[in-house]
Amino acid sequence: QQPVQSPQAVILREGEDAVINCSSSKALYSVHWYRQKHGEAPIFLMILLKGGEQKGHDKISASFNEKKQQSSLYLTASQLSYSGTYFCGTGVMEYGNKLVFGAGTILRVKS
Amino acid sequence: DVKVTQSSRYLVKRTGEKVFLECVQDMDHENMFWYRQDPGLGLRLIYFSYDVKMKEKGDIPEGYSVSREKKERFSLILESASTNQTSMYLCASSFEGYEQYFGPGTRLTVT
């Protein structure tokens, strides 16, 4: 079942902060975050694993609430280069290494 | 750097044709994935392979098949293309459950 991302879209000015949420109805083993710019492939930003391990981008942080099956991506002091569509991908133990992706959040940073 | 390549960036086929989309990765990843991306729906998994000759259905396998004869190559086959298979197709690879590396995508149009 596809995780729910919110908001669907957000517009920021440079320097502002944003939070993107990802919520699943399944018990999660991992949450991945990716960013896709128009016409390009998605690129990896962050992985959060059950138990607290994180691996990812220096300027982006995220949280993973295992009990609520929720993750949030925090973009601080946004830059023009942050514009794109953000996807969360959720990993469930019984699915092995497959991910189920959300519909995406469109982020636009204006100068 | 991990590199995932796809055989075509753009492809136009006629209804009923057999279509082959190829994906090659150069990092010895055991996992390879085929996704379909449509506006507002995010990335939906078509098929997944965790080893040579091994495959699992994803969320939307109907109308598709896959082949993995060599570890580095994963092919998506549309046995009889239909207009509702017009979409962007993305291939990805990963080591275990860690970050997925995506190819540039193939935009397929079926007329």
Side-chain angles (χ1 to χ4, degrees):
Chain A
Q1 195 164 358
Q2 195 174 37
V4 177
Q5 286 187 235
S6 63
Q8 289 184 316
V10 57
I11 300 175
L12 301 173
R13 293 207 174 271
E14 274 186 293
E16 291 182 336
D17 301 338
V19 180
I20 300 172
N21 301 301
C22 176
S23 180
S24 174
S25 59
K26 295 268 189 182
L28 301 178
Y29 173 77
S30 68
V31 179
H32 295 219
W33 287 96
Y34 293 80
R35 177 172 62 213
Q36 185 179 32
K37 293 186 177 290
H38 184 70
E40 299 181 8
I43 59 165
F44 170 77
L45 295 176
M46 174 83 63
I47 181 172
L48 303 104
L49 300 174
K50 189 174 181 179
E53 183 180 347
Q54 292 190 19
K55 177 185 170 186
H57 203 282
D58 287 340
K59 296 184 179 181
I60 293 172
S61 63
S63 64
F64 179 18
N65 186 324
E66 298 168 25
K67 289 183 180 177
K68 292 186 177 180
Q69 287 88 248
Q70 292 176 346
S71 178
S72 295
L73 186 72
Y74 305 98
L75 305 168
T76 56
S78 59
Q79 305 170 15
L80 293 175
S81 62
Y82 286 10
S83 293
T85 303
Y86 289 77
F87 294 100
C88 69
T90 52
V92 177
M93 280 300 282
E94 58 262 36
Y95 293 163
N97 294 325
K98 296 187 289 188
L99 297 177
V100 181
F101 283 90
T105 295
I106 299 170
L107 178 75
R108 183 181 166 202
V109 181
K110 297 165 62 174
S111 56
Chain B
D1 278 352
V2 175
K3 196 166 185 181
V4 180
T5 57
Q6 295 184 226
S7 49
S8 306
R9 288 301 303 269
Y10 300 94
L11 208 53
V12 179
K13 295 291 181 181
R14 293 193 181 275
T15 302
E17 280 192 86
K18 191 168 186 176
V19 181
F20 293 87
L21 303 181
E22 291 213 317
C23 175
V24 178
Q25 52 96 2
D26 66 358
M27 277 301 290
D28 203 37
H29 287 165
E30 71 273 11
N31 297 321
M32 295 189 75
F33 309 85
W34 274 106
Y35 294 95
R36 172 177 170 157
Q37 184 172 25
D38 299 290
L41 297 178
L43 301 162
R44 293 181 293 166
L45 183 65
I46 303 172
Y47 266 97
F48 159 56
S49 171
Y50 52 92
D51 203 348
V52 175
K53 297 189 187 294
M54 307 304 288
K55 63 185 178 185
E56 282 189 21
K57 292 181 180 179
D59 300 318
I60 51 165
E62 296 78 21
Y64 304 94
S65 62
V66 290
S67 172
R68 193 167 180 199
E69 297 296 319
K70 293 185 177 181
K71 191 174 185 179
E72 68 271 18
R73 190 179 298 268
F74 191 33
S75 300
L76 180 70
I77 304 152
L78 288 67
E79 295 289 342
S80 177
S82 64
T83 55
N84 63 13
Q85 293 178 309
T86 291
S87 187
M88 172 67 82
Y89 291 87
L90 289 164
C91 174
S93 72
S94 78
F95 172 67
E96 293 190 349
Y98 295 104
E99 60 263 39
Q100 294 191 11
Y101 295 85
F102 286 84
T106 296
R107 184 163 294 282
L108 173 67
T109 303
V110 182
T111 61

